Amino acid sequence: MNRLKANPLLSPDDVKPTRGDLEVLCTLNPAAVRFNGEIILLVRVGEKACDREGSVAVLQYDVCCDNLKVHHISKDDDDLDCSDPRKFCYRGKTLLTSMSHLRIARSIDGEHFRFDDEAAIFPATAYEGFGCEDARITCIEGTYYITYTAVSQFGVAVAMASTKDFTDFRRHGIIFPPYQKDVCLFPRKVNGRYVCRHRPYRSEFNDACIWTARSDDLESWGSHEVTLAPLPGTWESERVGAGPPPIETPEGWLDIYHAADSEGRYALGAMLSELDHPERVISRSTKPILQPEMEYERAGVYGNVVFANGMLADDDGTLTIYYGAADTICAAAVTSVDEMLAAAKC
Amino acid sequence: MNRLKANPLLSPDDVKPTRGDLEVLCTLNPAAVRFNGEIILLVRVGEKACDREGSVAVLQYDVCCDNLKVHHISKDDDDLDCSDPRKFCYRGKTLLTSMSHLRIARSIDGEHFRFDDEAAIFPATAYEGFGCEDARITCIEGTYYITYTAVSQFGVAVAMASTKDFTDFRRHGIIFPPYQKDVCLFPRKVNGRYVCRHRPYRSEFNDACIWTARSDDLESWGSHEVTLAPLPGTWESERVGAGPPPIETPEGWLDIYHAADSEGRYALGAMLSELDHPERVISRSTKPILQPEMEYERAGVYGNVVFANGMLADDDGTLTIYYGAADTICAAAVTSVDEMLAAAKC
């Protein structure tokens, strides 16, 4: 796995906020796709409102007035806990330090990207009040389907949008109710049905495992089955979650996934599953295929994180993994299908 | 709402355990349906293994050996917390004090019930290792669909089974992935699609709300929408969850639901939603329609609970609500559609 020398590819300085009174805190976790001769990244852009003296600002989309609202909470408020840089705990509930939307960045060479001036998918429903995050793009039968995390006071759910031109986006609503994240669609039907990975959150009963589900229409999902579980005492002890859409190889479906350990350090792994039964894992990587090592991966809004939800495969077997680092910037690393299959098998 | 004088209708003493070395701890939360001249309750029967001196016994179904296993945990173990009578906390995870299956009890008059000698639905998959709980039965197009909570090390999910005769049951697998409970199916399609209520668990972001979803095949669910939220400072401040299948009335869909307050006291409420848009609430009861008052509702495995997932409607508008009390016994109360509509509107 070779990181691009051009890393970081995209940083908060590279993007215009959606409003003059907002600032961009992070540009992370890009989905990736080739379209019309360009490489398109669909980047999660996290914005925040300016803090007033002695208070923190919480930016949210309010569906009732179809507009943004900013709440200011005094730092002296005993009910406020700011210990996690990604969120505030306030009056028993969690609020986010930044509100994310999804923005396109374009490139010809895959290294030099330029952000569009406007959001592609901006919060617009009651389920997106806290933001739209961590997209995956899968081209199925000529349409590009975008699955993304929709966060709000109603929980962390997964929504879907689709486009044929990356200009007009059609929203399909919530396809997975809370508490779910990390949904990626397979590029083709398996045994006559669409397939996806998804990731229920951990609870008092269960660890955060990757599941596989099936659908006839991409909007309604069933036949849920557990696929990959965390492994105690390892780099993937706390949670695992699906990454970019799996790639079909002669040996099986190749998944790149993320995992976190007990210290909240996020690394990437590879797994291989059966072509006809993608819920059945053939093998998984014992070691991470990419882990936080570079300064831009170790320090940022939330350090020690590499998180991939975008990957491009070339005809020659080259794989470019686009990833978010330290919850702050976008980067990429190059490898090959053969290398990833080997990693998944040892 | 008039409680039957025959309450409790069913108690742990009324049922044979599935194995001689087990004891029945609770018989609760019945689904209800009329079938072949009988009233059938599908009761959650919780069994436990005998504790050894100085230890607690944890009963589970093990899918690998297709058999029950009993783990004994020393009461002196510092990692064991038995403070909640429904569960053990052990090594950071939750285990249940009893493992439930679903058992039929039959009656002619709706007051005197007799349990079948064998389970109708007993844990049989990896998703049922900790038990099958809290069924709802809906007759749709001549088939009886049973939705129930499947609890295991993989989380709290919702599974479905179906039957035409209450003798042979077909399993349809997991229809809602974790963390979901309280799924009830509507008795007919609305605008051409099947409808259900479901209830994602609360998280750091959200309260436990009732949602509505749609399906073309009853197995794959989408179009998820929030329907009813808890109300701070009231008898339904902590959580709400769907009850028996909703009943169609000229004024809208009538739902009986359960709610809990900040002290874990469970009561029942009524709500009315639009016939063509059951995700849109017209009105909800400001006061409980039934709350724990009787001794059998106030004391038991988990006291101060009334929880309904079964209801029968007669042609004359009489409603009989079958409910679990104190997580221990089955009871019933009689009311009418008119009374419940009035309750839902004030």
Side-chain angles (χ1 to χ4, degrees), chain A residues 2-16:
Chain A
N2 296 306
R3 290 171 176 83
L4 297 191
K5 289 196 180 130
N7 286 346
L9 303 181
L10 290 166
S11 303
D13 288 346
D14 298 325
V15 64
K16 259 177 57 176

Side-chain angles (χ1 to χ4, degrees), chain A residues 93-94 127 178 204 207 226, chain B residues 93-94 127 180 204 207 226:
Chain A
K93 283 277 163 33
T94 291
Y127 305 104
E204 56 182 330
D207 294 321
V226 168
Chain B
K93 283 278 163 34
T94 291
Y127 305 105
Q180 300 279 334
E204 58 182 328
D207 293 321
V226 169

Side-chain angles (χ1 to χ4, degrees), chain A residues 317-332:
Chain A
T318 302
L319 292 176
T320 306
I321 296 174
Y322 290 92
Y323 64 97
D327 269 14
T328 306
I329 61 94
C330 293

Side-chain angles (χ1 to χ4, degrees), chain A residues 87 93-94 127 153-155 174 177-180 193 200 203-207 211 219-222 224-226, chain B residues 87 93-94 127 153-155 174 177-180 193 200 203-207 211 220-222 224-226:
Chain A
K87 58 193 183 185
K93 283 277 163 33
T94 291
Y127 305 104
Q153 61 171 313
F154 300 116
I174 298 297
Y179 194 137
Q180 300 278 336
R193 304 192 74 193
S203 80
E204 56 182 330
F205 293 97
N206 62 290
D207 294 321
W211 288 53
E219 292 184 351
S220 299
W221 291 90
H224 307 273
E225 293 182 81
V226 168
Chain B
K87 58 193 184 184
K93 283 278 163 34
T94 291
Y127 305 105
Q153 61 172 313
F154 300 116
I174 298 297
Y179 194 137
Q180 300 279 334
R193 304 193 75 194
S203 80
E204 58 182 328
F205 294 97
N206 62 289
D207 293 321
W211 288 53
S220 299
W221 291 90
H224 307 272
E225 293 182 81
V226 169

Side-chain angles (χ1 to χ4, degrees), chain A residues 185-205:
Chain A
L185 308 176
F186 281 55
R188 68 162 172 89
K189 289 184 180 179
V190 176
N191 293 321
R193 304 192 74 193
Y194 298 109
V195 184
C196 80
R197 308 279 192 212
H198 63 100
R199 212 289 302 281
Y201 202 60
R202 70 176 164 204
S203 80
E204 56 182 330
F205 293 97

Side-chain angles (χ1 to χ4, degrees), chain A residues 153-164:
Chain A
Q153 61 171 313
F154 300 116
V156 178
V158 177
M160 187 167 75
S162 64
T163 185
K164 287 180 180 286

